Amino acid sequence: MIRYVLTPAVLIASPIAAQIVTSPVKLTDNSPNTPGIIIVNAKTTPPVKKGTTVFPCLGGPPWRYSVATPCAAPAAPPVAKIAAARPAGACKDLGASAQWTYASKGGTYGNTCIMRAMDAVPLDGALDEPRVFQDITIASSRHFLTQRTTKWRPFANVTVQRVDITARKRGIFIRGGSHDWLIQDFRITGSGVNTSPGDIPVGIGMHGATNIVIRRGEISGFKTVLANPKKYANADCISAERGDSFTATDVYAHDCSDGIIDTKATTKLDRIRAANAGHYSYRFWAKADAGTLTSENPGYAHVQLAAASADVHIVKLVAIGGGTLVKVDKPGGKLVIDACDLTKWTGTDLVAGAKASVSLGKGCRK
């Protein structure tokens, strides 16, 4: 059990609460190899006094910690049970141009089944009041959750959990400086096929979003098919475009027509299974650290260094099916793979394309 001891950087005399939430970011390990981890540069709500021991909690509004005693163990991931739990005959048909809620205030929204909506949750109102969206089934919408305002104001402290979403364009789209979102125990499925080069579908998309955590879920089926086959058919399962930072763990993402994970963000990945990408399983444009990544049957390559700014470390890569193992698009960039499992890889090219610093470790050569 990891514990954190709060230092004078967060000292404000106050009674100790049962739980605290940090703001604007989660606590950062300053010395992770010591028994008592010392934390600096964090604010807490409510404030706690010097020497307080807190324990990280899984689930709930990000970032929640229990004071003095460990958090209760989280329930088993309910993703597989979501569809079976749909209320029979109780789903609401809101119509093709309707919204379910703007969620303009903090609180919990959910326990609903919707047959049809346009942008089900075009988020509006107070920017940093904690909101929780949970136990939601939406059978058809254009977008599930995005921001209503055209100025893309920065919403914070949003939790999405136990949702089963079918969306024509975007499942969840976070932008405009939004931060501290938690998305967990979910299934997001694309429906239909996009035919416009400028209207790009995505399962979870980020643009200027930071401290986004994605875990325990499945994303699939976001696709673009263009009339001109020479045009690039862009549609990703998870996409991070500009100034983002996110962490994804225990995610199965598959059958998207471009990349499974396409990231220009500061990225941390672990236990990701990516399958049946139209182009690439993992597209890296910036700094990324990964534990175990599994890639199955990409159209082009299992890993792509898409830019000279890519700086990627992968502890273990499991490649299944054909495709180039590593494709380098632009000269430069750095990739280190500590170990590979290529027992089910049927491709022949280990590294193809432009020159880059590529280090392949144990098991990465047949």
Side-chain angles (χ1 to χ4, degrees):
M1 172 61 67
I2 296 175
R3 68 171 183 161
Y4 305 97
V5 181
L6 301 180
T7 68
V10 293
L11 172 60
I12 302 179
S14 171
I16 297 177
Q19 287 191 337
I20 60 171
V21 177
T22 62
S23 177
V25 296
K26 67 178 181 178
L27 300 178
T28 302
D29 294 355
N30 201 38
S31 52
N33 294 322
T34 61
I37 297 177
I38 305 303
I39 304 304
V40 297
N41 300 327
K43 297 178 181 179
T44 66
T45 306
V48 294
K49 62 183 180 181
K50 178 182 177 181
T52 300
T53 298
V54 296
F55 298 83
C57 300
L58 297 178
W63 306 95
R64 177 163 288 186
Y65 294 80
S66 174
V67 175
T69 58
C71 298
V79 176
K81 301 179 181 178
I82 293 174
R86 289 177 180 170
C91 297
K92 302 174 184 177
D93 187 342
L94 300 182
S97 60
Q99 285 75 45
W100 170 50
T101 178
Y102 291 112
S104 57
K105 296 181 179 180
T108 299
Y109 299 82
N111 298 298
T112 190
C113 181
I114 297 170
M115 291 298 298
R116 204 168 36 143
M118 189 177 189
D119 297 348
V121 185
L123 197 60
D124 202 359
L127 298 179
D128 56 0
E129 291 184 1
R131 296 168 173 85
V132 178
F133 299 90
Q134 64 184 25
D135 303 306
I136 299 168
T137 296
I138 296 182
S140 178
S141 65
R142 184 178 69 170
H143 303 147
F144 163 52
L145 198 160
T146 184
Q147 289 126 290
R148 182 187 182 197
T149 173
T150 56
K151 293 182 180 179
W152 311 119
R153 296 159 66 213
F155 291 89
N157 300 315
V158 176
T159 296
V160 180
Q161 60 188 5
R162 302 192 300 275
V163 298
D164 187 5
I165 305 299
T166 301
R168 296 188 302 277
K169 294 294 183 184
R170 300 175 183 92
I172 299 173
F173 197 53
I174 314 167
R175 63 186 304 170
S178 292
H179 58 90
D180 297 331
W181 287 45
L182 173 64
I183 304 167
Q184 65 180 5
D185 303 320
F186 61 88
R187 178 164 44 223
I188 300 174
T189 306
S191 63
V193 176
N194 176 55
T195 59
S196 170
D199 192 9
I200 301 171
V202 66
I204 297 176
M206 291 159 275
H207 196 297
T210 56
N211 294 316
I212 310 300
V213 171
I214 303 166
R215 63 192 182 198
R216 300 195 302 268
E218 178 180 357
I219 304 173
S220 65
F222 289 87
K223 297 181 178 180
T224 293
V225 176
L226 302 177
N228 184 348
K230 295 183 180 180
K231 297 289 186 180
Y232 197 84
N234 199 341
D236 302 317
C237 288
I238 297 177
S239 174
E241 294 296 334
R242 295 288 186 278
D244 305 303
S245 63
F246 78 96
T247 299
T249 56
D250 300 304
V251 173
Y252 174 36
H254 58 99
D255 296 285
C256 291
S257 63
D258 182 14
I260 299 301
I261 294 183
D262 186 339
T263 173
K264 299 179 178 70
T266 300
T267 306
K268 293 185 178 181
L269 306 173
D270 197 13
R271 300 184 301 277
I272 308 295
R273 178 184 170 195
N276 307 323
H279 298 146
Y280 303 97
S281 294
Y282 301 97
R283 305 190 69 193
F284 295 112
W285 305 71
K287 184 171 179 58
D289 289 292
T292 299
L293 302 182
T294 299
S295 170
E296 304 176 33
N297 306 310
Y300 294 168
H302 296 270
V303 174
Q304 180 197 29
L305 288 187
S309 54
D311 183 358
V312 181
H313 174 222
I314 300 171
V315 173
K316 183 177 182 180
L317 175 66
V318 181
I320 299 171
T324 299
L325 191 69
V326 177
K327 174 68 163 56
V328 181
D329 260 25
K330 303 289 184 181
K334 180 181 179 181
L335 171 65
V336 176
I337 303 177
D338 294 344
C340 296
D341 181 346
L342 303 184
T343 56
K344 296 183 179 180
W345 178 52
T346 59
T348 56
D349 292 334
L350 284 171
V351 182
K355 292 183 179 181
S357 172
V358 178
S359 174
L360 301 178
K362 182 179 179 180
C364 293
R365 299 179 186 274
K366 284 192 171 182

